[in-house]
Amino acid sequence: MTSPGLDSVTVDIIGHNLVAIAEEMGVAMIRAAYSPNIKERRDCTTALLDTSGHSIAQAEHIPIHMGSMIGFIPGVVAQYGEDIHPGDIFISNDPYLGGSTHLPDVTVVAPLHVDGDLVGFAAAVAHHAEFGGSQGRAPDIYSEGLRLPILKIVDRGTLDEGLVRLIQLNTRVPDERLGDIRSQFAAVSLGVRRYTGLLERYGADGVLEATGRWLDKAETQAWAALRELPRGRVQFEDRMDSDGAGTENIPIRVAIDIDAEGIHFDFTGTGAQVAGQINTARAAVEASVYYTVKTILDPTLPANAGFYRIVDITIPHGSILDSAEPAPVLQRSDVCQRAVDAMLGAFSSILPERIPAASNGSISAFTFNGYDALRQRPFAYTEVIAGGAGALPTTNGQDAVQTHVTNTANTPIESVEQNFPLRITKYALRDGSGGAGQRRGGVGIIRELKTLNDGIRLTVKGDRVATGPWGLQGGGAGQPLAFVLDPDSDHSRSFTRADNGTVLAAETTVLAMTAGGGGFGSPPDTDSVPAADEREGDDVQ
């Protein structure tokens, strides 16, 4: 039924109100969070979803986090049915039950009702710096942390204290975990209130109709953009260097078919799931595909599931892109980044004027866990370190940025040193790390820390260690990622995934050097020095 006066302008106003609600939810969570991982690094995402788990509006946070929501909502609806009420909040983090894409990403949702009928959910995903499990390598998901199935943690306004105690008992930093979960409660509760206010302003029928038309608008806009693309099939293959557990050169293959029926992504031929922790739940790859489609077709597409309708995805089950339980998935984001690289590589053959060279190629990070001797408490610190973006046909790649399926900030030096037994001794651009070309790749980052007491365990993640990000049209590869212990000593050594869980002594220096982006076009002079070298020693601001 069409609501009187609901013209296209009103539809846009209501649609943008939905986006504003999602954005405000994110602000509330960041302000209320306890951990620097959420408060400073902003490793979190908020959204409004319909009862099928489709995005109505997603804040501009972390694209891969949509994978933590896609399967969760159908699970809630199927499991709880009529037992979903105003004031309820649900929680999960299990990739194999659709509640997350890896265990540190805890998803919390609260139902949205219209005249007593369930119409959707407000959702908040937050990456928790520590959620139990091994502090080194893990052979399966059971070892990676505390698994939460889809559970009701707040029942009509009453918190399940027993479940809270269970979560705290199985994490090493219990007060921080509870504080961050409460920040998620605050975010989804705010989303419910703001949505209720929208209903009061425009009427339930108006909001529901506008939501449907807002989704339809995204689909229509996507079809218009798709008609501008050449028809046919394009293919590409990229590779993961290693899983950290003995498997190397793992293929990521994609074939993309573009026709009048839509756009189909087929990852058949991708390598089988592996023993290491880089396997991926299907939903995370789906989120990566939707990110790629939005960037290729039209970056101005509304951030909702309307444009998903033109996309079809085939991923072989049991592959590294759709792993079977109980494969470990903690470091799944590196494979998602490589899937994006492969998709962009395929598109480069038909859209050479739009597609950049490969960016740094992984979500490079190190994690420090242990006991803080000065503050007399356990701690967990995770830092995702930016790298270089791939060069475009018309411009150099951006320096020191997060790319593709991630979008986190850095943790300020002051916050690190105030909260953890660590001192940052260097934070700078990695000059010369971008690939050479007519347009050079963006440069990566140097981030160097020193431990201040004994007994701190180190884990790292990131690929592009053996081979740097590729260039296009004759552009050079960027320098690969590297982690080094005590780099200026006589016992300096590299540190890889295979070393994860190593216990460091006090005064150990840990150096991360992230990959630069690939270059675009053959360099006019192969002996020329990359422009980044002119800034040697610049600090990252």
Side-chain angles (χ1 to χ4, degrees):
M1 180 180 71
T2 302
S3 299
L6 194 64
D7 55 22
S8 61
V9 173
T10 305
V11 169
D12 277 358
I13 290 172
I14 294 175
H16 286 292
N17 265 277
L18 295 170
V19 174
I21 291 171
E23 294 282 357
E24 188 180 0
M25 289 165 58
V27 172
M29 178 163 55
I30 289 165
R31 288 183 174 178
Y34 276 34
S35 71
N37 201 54
I38 300 172
K39 185 175 289 293
E40 303 285 3
R41 262 197 347 101
R42 305 190 176 196
D43 198 343
C44 56
T45 299
T46 46
L48 299 178
L49 313 169
D50 66 17
T51 54
S52 298
H54 296 145
S55 170
I56 297 170
Q58 181 179 358
E60 291 189 7
H61 292 149
I62 315 295
I64 196 175
H65 280 170
M66 182 47 62
S68 296
M69 306 176 192
I70 288 172
F72 190 170
I73 302 307
V76 172
V77 174
Q79 182 173 327
Y80 285 90
E82 298 298 317
D83 189 22
I84 301 174
H85 308 282
D88 288 349
I89 296 179
F90 301 87
I91 189 170
S92 181
N93 73 334
D94 195 313
Y96 293 112
L97 296 176
S100 178
T101 59
H102 70 166
L103 297 182
D105 281 351
V106 177
T107 304
V108 164
V109 302
L112 304 172
H113 287 86
V114 172
D115 297 330
D117 295 326
L118 179 69
V119 297
F121 291 84
V125 182
H127 180 112
H128 290 251
E130 193 280 321
F131 214 72
S134 170
Q135 292 183 324
R137 289 185 290 168
D140 51 41
I141 196 168
Y142 306 114
S143 309
E144 289 190 314
L146 175 62
R147 296 175 72 186
L148 297 176
I150 297 171
L151 298 168
K152 184 184 288 191
I153 193 168
V154 178
D155 187 354
R156 284 174 266 199
T158 301
L159 179 66
D160 186 337
E161 299 285 357
L163 178 54
V164 170
R165 290 195 299 272
L166 175 67
I167 293 171
Q168 289 190 289
L169 184 64
N170 285 277
T171 57
R172 297 177 178 90
V173 194
D175 290 342
E176 184 178 276
R177 294 289 67 73
L178 179 57
D180 285 348
I181 289 173
R182 283 175 170 167
S183 77
Q184 294 178 259
F185 292 169
V188 296
S189 298
L190 176 64
V192 172
R193 293 198 303 274
R194 292 291 185 263
Y195 187 78
T196 301
L198 195 64
L199 296 176
E200 293 171 352
R201 182 173 182 182
Y202 289 99
D205 290 344
V207 171
L208 293 177
E209 181 182 338
T211 299
R213 288 170 59 180
W214 182 246
L215 294 169
D216 292 343
K217 177 181 179 178
E219 180 185 8
T220 301
Q221 193 172 331
W223 280 117
L226 184 64
R227 284 193 288 271
E228 302 300 316
L229 296 187
R231 298 289 188 264
R233 166 171 280 215
V234 291
Q235 303 179 77
F236 196 84
E237 177 179 317
D238 212 325
R239 289 181 173 267
M240 300 295 293
D241 289 337
S242 169
D243 71 336
T247 306
E248 299 181 345
N249 295 318
I250 305 157
I252 307 290
R253 294 177 184 160
V254 64
I256 305 172
D257 291 294
I258 305 168
D259 56 34
E261 301 299 317
I263 181 167
H264 178 71
F265 295 81
D266 186 351
F267 292 92
T268 299
T270 290
Q273 65 188 59
V274 292
Q277 295 176 268
I278 63 172
N279 301 292
T280 311
R282 178 187 173 94
V285 181
E286 291 177 350
S288 303
V289 171
Y290 297 139
Y291 157 81
T292 304
V293 169
K294 189 174 189 295
T295 59
I296 292 297
L297 289 184
D298 182 354
T300 69
L301 283 170
N304 65 49
F307 75 86
Y308 299 1
R309 299 169 186 168
I310 76 166
V311 180
D312 184 57
I313 305 170
T314 298
I315 309 173
H317 186 58
S319 72
I320 197 171
L321 297 180
D322 183 11
S323 56
E325 189 177 358
V329 296
L330 182 66
Q331 301 184 358
R332 87 285 182 232
S333 56
D334 292 337
V335 173
C336 291
Q337 290 285 69
R338 195 56 41 81
V340 173
D341 280 345
M343 288 184 278
L344 293 178
F347 278 118
S348 70
S349 63
I350 59 171
L351 299 170
E353 75 287 352
R354 284 199 216 173
I355 304 301
S359 294
N360 56 83
S362 65
I363 300 182
S364 307
F366 45 36
T367 299
F368 297 82
N369 286 276
Y371 190 78
D372 185 337
L374 176 63
R375 299 168 186 84
Q376 297 290 292
R377 65 188 185 194
F379 80 96
Y381 162 61
T382 296
E383 185 70 50
V384 175
I385 316 165
L392 286 157
T394 58
T395 185
N396 295 335
Q398 289 184 290
D399 300 331
V401 293
Q402 301 287 5
T403 61
H404 301 321
V405 299
T406 188
N407 191 31
T408 57
N410 65 294
T411 308
I413 292 171
E414 296 83 357
S415 178
V416 173
E417 297 184 347
Q418 288 172 7
N419 288 281
F420 310 117
L422 302 164
R423 179 176 297 118
I424 296 182
T425 52
K426 189 172 185 179
Y427 191 29
L429 296 172
R430 187 185 180 190
D431 292 318
S433 59
Q438 291 181 4
R439 303 294 181 181
R440 66 160 179 84
V443 303
I445 281 178
I446 293 171
R447 191 159 172 106
E448 185 181 84
L449 298 91
K450 181 174 288 188
T451 59
L452 301 184
N453 58 246
D454 292 326
I456 296 174
R457 290 183 183 270
L458 173 65
T459 62
V460 302
K461 69 179 292 292
D463 204 68
R464 297 290 192 206
V465 174
T467 56
W470 39 263
L472 282 176
Q473 305 294 325
Q479 289 186 8
L481 168 71
F483 294 97
V484 182
L485 296 188
D486 294 322
D488 297 322
S489 70
D490 58 3
H491 54 275
S492 172
R493 69 179 182 91
S494 64
F495 194 99
T496 68
R497 295 182 202 261
D499 300 306
N500 281 347
T502 296
V503 179
L504 306 180
E507 301 298 312
T508 300
T509 297
V510 180
L511 170 65
M513 298 181 290
T514 61
F520 194 98
S522 299
D525 178 0
T526 57
D527 295 326
S528 64
V529 179
D533 280 350
E534 298 173 4
R535 297 191 307 272
E536 184 173 359
D538 281 2
D539 288 338
V540 176
Q541 300 299 315

